[in-house]
Amino acid sequence: MTWDLIGHDWAVQLLRGHILNNSLRHAYLITGPRGVGKANLAIRFIQALTCPEGGSSGNPCLVCQTCKRVDRLEYPDLFPVGVEEESKQIKIDQIRELIHNLSLSPYEAGRRFGLLLDFENASPSAQNSLLKTLEEPPGSVILILTSITSSALLDTITSRCEEIKLNSVPLDVTSRGLQELHNIPPQEAQFLAHISGGKPEIALAMHVDPDILERRRNLFNEHLEILAGNSVRRFAYANQVSKDPHKVRELLDTWISIWQDILHQSSQSQIPLQNIDREEDIQHILRQVDFATTRNSLILFRRAHQLLGENANLKLTLEDLMLGLPTISTSL
Ligand SMILES: [Zn+2]
């Protein structure tokens, strides 16, 4: 297998099978946590379908001009759609433009591809405007949607797609992939596999950009501070961070990972710590909460995560979350 992805072998086999058996679907929906590699899988799939060097193998060569252009999303028969800068949503105009482009004949490939990234960010009207194309797609078109979860999309969208559900990648597979495919030294690869929680794209981003690790450290410290703070402090914090949706996403990912670690530790699970560099802090919180509090905190986080996926009000969602979290003293 030469799709050169970290993990998700079963999904590669499934998609490769569709290519080799000539049983391609008109629409795919790839779901899974942020950073797990949804877009990469979609790009490899498109490369496998367009690479002139692949022959009948169902594998892309990854080095020819076609593979490289697809990778850069600069291939003339590939139409990527995502949230544009300065915008929070995929808009109906973007979908209309996509539908128009897909209706034209392919330039190079025998097909045209619509790649709709992070489609949970599409407004309901944008989602609705895609329905007809999903229902009766032009013959040579393949649509690939990615989303954190299918529940953030209209049922009428998900029911017309073949869903491919990606999970976090096992830590040893992540670590090995980081070493073999990206030449990351073993010790760093293991550390990144852990703290990314088996999400290869997050691990790679942390490798390339040390600022992400620094932000994670700060978010961890801010959480300890919030847990020790009163409601005035918590509301002020919610108010401040709600102005930065990108930070809120990182914040939730980091804070959820803290509470998952606490839950695993309190239930004496064999699952390894994600925040291996903060074991002392995890133990400190663990000593002050019982199992029910931990579980309730995680439920609060998951609800906040889901609400944000549905474009709920950031400030209100964060305030609710802050109010529900337990109080933990800071003195170690
Ligand atoms: Zn190629």
Side-chain angles (χ1 to χ4, degrees), residues 204-217:
L204 283 169
M206 286 170 166
H207 172 68
V208 175
D209 180 3
D211 282 355
I212 299 175
L213 281 174
E214 180 64 27
R215 288 205 297 275
R216 173 180 162 274
R217 259 191 297 278

Side-chain angles (χ1 to χ4, degrees), residues 21 32 97 106 114 138 147 161 164 199 210-211 262 286 313-314 323 325 332:
N21 303 327
E97 189 186 343
S147 175
C161 298
I164 297 175
K199 300 185 187 69
D211 282 355
I262 295 167
L286 181 60
N313 181 303
L314 267 186
L323 266 188
L325 290 173
L332 282 167

Side-chain angles (χ1 to χ4, degrees), residues 47-48 50-54 59-68:
Q47 286 172 323
T50 52
C51 174
E53 309 296 331
N59 290 324
C61 77
L62 303 180
V63 292
C64 73
Q65 281 308 314
T66 300
C67 282
K68 285 182 178 164

